[in-house]
Amino acid sequence: MTEVFDCADPDQRSRGIAAAAGAVKNGRLVVMPTDTVYGIGADAFNSAAVAALLSAKGRGRDMPVGVLVGSWHTIEGLVYTMPEGARDLIRAFWPGALSLVVRQAPSLHWDLGDARGTVMLRMPLHPVAIEVLREVGPMAVSSANVSGSQPAVDPEDARRQLGDLVDVYLDAGIAEQQAASTIVDLTGPTPRILRPGPVSAERIAAVLDMDPGSLTG
């Protein structure tokens, strides 16, 4: 049975985070707030749960799921090598609305879709999301919407789209950014923005000491 928790109420927030953590650990799906949009999440290391997440969204394996982490240090075990510029971007924009695509550690036993040895990582700037992530570890998370629809910026929109396919909804009101994160690919010879978002090319370029145009060209 689907449960909804109002995170503005301290008691419901505490119970909701515990319920969400329990659901994820048992291979089920949750919807939680982030600073950008609401996300539908599952245990990143549970292949069946990730497959259920893709199915709930009506999304194919050709669009792999990103991973949210609860601290900077978590990524050390997830990345093959830290590419040039990655630590500078993390220091500048994490937690926040910047996702980084990097080469994953080959020892990882997860299946996020057809990611070809890469993984998209982000640490969100939202206390509820961080609490859940610190309870359960890295989570496979995608925007809480049916593929092809606009990402949900509030829990009601997420419920309209995903309904009972999700066990726990954590309601923290309207998402602050109301836009999906900026994605920067660090797997090639030079950094490249794959998706524009709240963190501008100019701000990224300033950190990397690059021309903003070279990030988007």
Side-chain angles (χ1 to χ4, degrees):
M1 185 179 101
T2 295
E3 295 181 282
V4 181
F5 296 89
D6 179 3
C7 294
D9 176 275
D11 180 58
Q12 283 202 47
R13 171 182 166 139
S14 178
R15 290 191 294 112
I17 288 169
V24 171
K25 290 174 182 177
N26 283 299
R28 300 194 297 273
L29 304 178
V30 302
V31 162
M32 64 184 184
T34 79
D35 47 326
T36 54
V37 296
Y38 272 73
I40 176 173
D43 179 353
F45 294 96
N46 185 325
S47 297
V50 175
L53 187 160
L54 289 169
S55 176
K57 285 178 61 79
R59 180 166 163 171
R61 288 179 51 80
D62 59 320
M63 299 178 69
V65 186
V67 171
L68 294 189
V69 297
S71 76
W72 293 8
H73 307 296
T74 305
I75 70 166
E76 297 290 348
L78 305 179
V79 175
Y80 176 57
T81 57
M82 284 294 265
E84 186 176 351
R87 285 192 172 85
D88 293 330
L89 291 172
I90 287 168
R91 279 193 291 268
F93 300 116
W94 281 19
L98 182 70
S99 296
L100 301 177
V101 179
V102 296
R103 295 283 173 196
Q104 71 168 52
S107 59
L108 289 174
H109 297 291
W110 62 17
D111 183 0
L112 303 169
D114 297 330
R116 299 183 176 87
T118 68
V119 62
M120 185 174 73
L121 299 171
R122 185 167 85 89
M123 180 181 177
L125 181 58
H126 197 290
V128 172
I130 292 295
E131 283 193 56
V132 175
L133 290 162
R134 288 183 175 169
E135 280 288 320
V136 303
M139 285 178 61
V141 179
S142 182
S143 54
N145 58 279
V146 172
S147 189
S149 300
Q150 287 297 310
V153 298
D154 61 55
E156 290 79 16
D157 191 14
R159 285 195 74 193
R160 278 193 297 272
Q161 297 192 57
L162 300 169
D164 292 340
L165 297 173
V166 172
D167 273 52
V168 176
Y169 288 84
L170 298 178
D171 177 355
I174 297 175
E176 181 182 351
Q177 299 281 0
Q178 299 184 43
S181 64
T182 304
I183 301 175
V184 174
D185 184 357
L186 297 176
T187 64
T190 59
R192 186 164 59 96
I193 291 177
L194 300 183
R195 180 178 70 194
V199 181
S200 69
E202 289 73 20
R203 292 174 67 198
I204 293 166
V207 170
L208 297 176
D209 194 22
M210 294 176 62
D211 173 11
S214 66
L215 288 165
T216 57

